[in-house]
Amino acid sequence: MQIGIFTVGDVTTDPTNGTTPSEHERIKNTVAIAKKAEEVGLDVFATGEHHNPPFVPSSPTTTLAYIGAQTERIILSTSTTLITTNDPVKIAEDYATLQHLVDGRMDLMLGRGNTPPVYPWFGKDISKAVELTIENYQLLRRLWSEPVVNWEGKFRTPLQGFTATPAPLDGVAPFVWHGSIRTPEVAELAAFYGDGYFANNIFWPKEHYIRLINFYRQRYAHYGHGTAEQAIVGLGGQFFMRKNSQDAVNEFRPYFDNAPVYGHGPSMEDFTEQTPLTVGSPQQVLERTLAFADYFGDYQRQMFLVDHAGLPLKTVLEQLDLLGEILPTMRAEFDARRPANVPDAPTHAARVAARDAALAEEVSA
């Protein structure tokens, strides 16, 4: 089990004192949070991609490369790389470059994006979002796997004799997760290629994500990549914790009530009852997170959103310290319950070793 955090990079006013970080402060804070994540023992840090206020992560590979130069172990990823509005050629080259810079400790999560104005800003039609996702990903895979690409599609100019540079590190492309909140076509795409599927698991009741994950698992098995239980699944989640659960409730309430994503809607009590948000003690966070596998089956990656809604940097770092305290137990409990036939979370080293073993088997045969 890989356990980590992701950010959406929102610039939000702290409702308790009216202060708003500058874009410069928010970007620098993101780096500090990533470094802290490694310090407390987390496995993954991921950043989103946005091209509209109040968000700052418009260039994920730039941020991740900078973080990579200041860390040694943590896997660097994205909580969305926009497959719909980015050119697949730029995705292929930017993320292969990042892969080389951090010696393989990276992957990425592709998503459609849910901000309608972004599509026309990049010359795309949101009504074609699913078609864009499928066509662009087909091209991306070819750019990473073929030395010379001749290609013609519906949404970009044709390629003739094109070579993406650099080629993936060790000849193995970055591992791809496909992220989705509600779109079964994304789960189908992930299953078809044997890629990972990441369920947002933030806004909706568990039954919503159970349906999507079960569909992905069934289709993964249908395409012959393994059993349904062996499908590669990631989950989101979010928490706010203090040693005393009532302290957590009291401190987080103004942030929840004013959060740009879900503020001014259901009460915090209703939201925590209906979604995976946990506000309470470390033990409560631990127990509720471990229960995810009871609903969704054994899975490979658990990511938490912790730095949103105007929470100050000091508070976010305290949250990571508390997560670090329960991390060994969380990891041990997940590992203890996982059957032997359920694969580990993918890493570059493991995928290179699997490729080499398959090649050796072919030669010996």
Side-chain angles (χ1 to χ4, degrees):
M1 172 67 79
Q2 293 171 345
I3 302 171
I5 59 171
F6 70 96
T7 182
V8 295
D10 59 308
V11 177
T12 302
T13 299
D14 185 332
T16 66
N17 58 25
T19 61
T20 304
S22 67
E23 291 180 325
H24 176 78
E25 289 171 329
R26 189 65 175 93
I27 292 168
K28 288 290 192 177
N29 289 351
T30 299
V31 176
I33 291 165
K35 293 167 68 175
K36 182 69 171 183
E38 177 169 272
E39 177 188 318
V40 302
L42 292 172
D43 303 301
V44 188
F45 174 82
T47 179
E49 178 186 349
H50 297 275
H51 298 278
N52 56 292
F55 305 99
V56 294
S58 58
S59 182
T61 52
T62 303
T63 302
L64 293 175
Y66 185 76
I67 293 168
Q70 301 178 66
T71 54
E72 298 179 354
R73 181 190 56 80
I74 198 164
I75 296 169
L76 304 171
S77 189
T78 57
S79 47
T80 303
T81 295
L82 297 175
I83 187 64
T84 47
T85 51
N86 281 312
D87 184 351
V89 172
K90 280 296 290 175
I91 295 177
E93 296 186 334
D94 286 353
Y95 284 90
T97 300
L98 176 64
Q99 188 188 36
H100 282 273
L101 287 171
V102 300
D103 298 318
R105 55 184 176 97
M106 58 77 66
D107 53 35
L108 69 159
M109 181 166 67
L110 301 178
R112 296 188 304 145
N114 59 5
T115 307
V118 172
Y119 282 77
W121 292 342
F122 288 85
K124 307 300 181 183
D125 180 353
I126 194 171
S127 71
K128 306 294 184 183
V130 172
E131 293 177 69
L132 280 161
T133 297
I134 294 169
E135 180 176 298
N136 285 352
Y137 186 54
Q138 289 171 341
L139 175 55
L140 176 61
R141 288 182 62 89
R142 290 188 60 187
L143 291 165
W144 274 337
S145 62
E146 299 176 22
V148 179
V149 173
N150 295 302
W151 180 89
E152 185 171 350
K154 182 178 178 181
F155 296 109
R156 81 172 313 281
T157 53
L159 298 174
Q160 297 296 327
F162 181 79
T163 298
T165 58
L169 177 66
D170 302 317
V172 174
F175 185 77
V176 171
W177 300 84
H178 299 263
S180 175
I181 296 176
R182 57 182 175 271
T183 309
E185 291 90 345
V186 172
E188 175 76 17
L189 186 68
F192 180 81
Y193 288 108
D195 296 333
Y197 178 69
F198 188 91
N200 172 277
N201 199 36
I202 296 289
F203 303 112
W204 298 79
K206 62 181 182 297
E207 290 77 14
H208 172 82
Y209 295 106
I210 288 171
R211 287 192 294 271
L212 283 171
I213 291 170
N214 286 347
F215 173 73
Y216 160 70
R217 290 186 183 278
Q218 292 160 8
R219 299 303 289 169
Y220 182 95
H222 169 79
Y223 289 118
H225 301 297
T227 66
E229 294 74 21
Q230 293 172 323
I232 307 300
V233 173
L235 288 177
Q238 55 183 334
F239 63 77
F240 187 88
M241 56 180 154
R242 290 299 187 195
K243 295 290 188 180
N244 180 286
S245 60
Q246 192 58 50
D247 289 342
V249 170
N250 294 339
E251 184 175 349
F252 188 62
R253 187 178 301 281
Y255 295 98
F256 176 89
D257 289 344
N258 291 277
V261 174
Y262 46 59
H264 311 289
S267 70
M268 189 169 72
E269 286 73 15
D270 287 344
F271 200 83
T272 55
E273 175 68 26
Q274 298 166 10
T275 77
L277 171 65
T278 304
V279 181
S281 69
Q283 185 63 29
Q284 288 173 308
V285 171
L286 175 63
E287 291 175 358
R288 195 166 192 204
T289 302
L290 291 173
F292 289 169
D294 296 331
Y295 311 135
F296 304 115
D298 294 287
Y299 60 109
Q300 284 75 19
R301 177 174 285 185
Q302 174 63 56
M303 301 289 285
F304 295 105
L305 174 64
V306 298
D307 70 327
H308 62 125
L311 288 166
L313 176 62
K314 177 178 180 292
T315 300
V316 174
L317 299 183
E318 290 168 351
Q319 293 297 299
L320 293 179
D321 279 328
L322 290 168
L323 178 58
E325 291 178 12
I326 61 174
L327 186 61
T329 302
M330 184 181 292
R331 187 177 282 120
E333 291 291 332
F334 272 128
D335 289 346
R337 65 155 288 155
R338 190 179 64 198
N341 67 323
V342 174
D344 291 338
T347 65
H348 180 73
R351 298 178 69 231
V352 170
R355 188 274 314 271
D356 292 346
L359 291 175
E361 187 175 335
E362 288 179 11
V363 171
S364 63

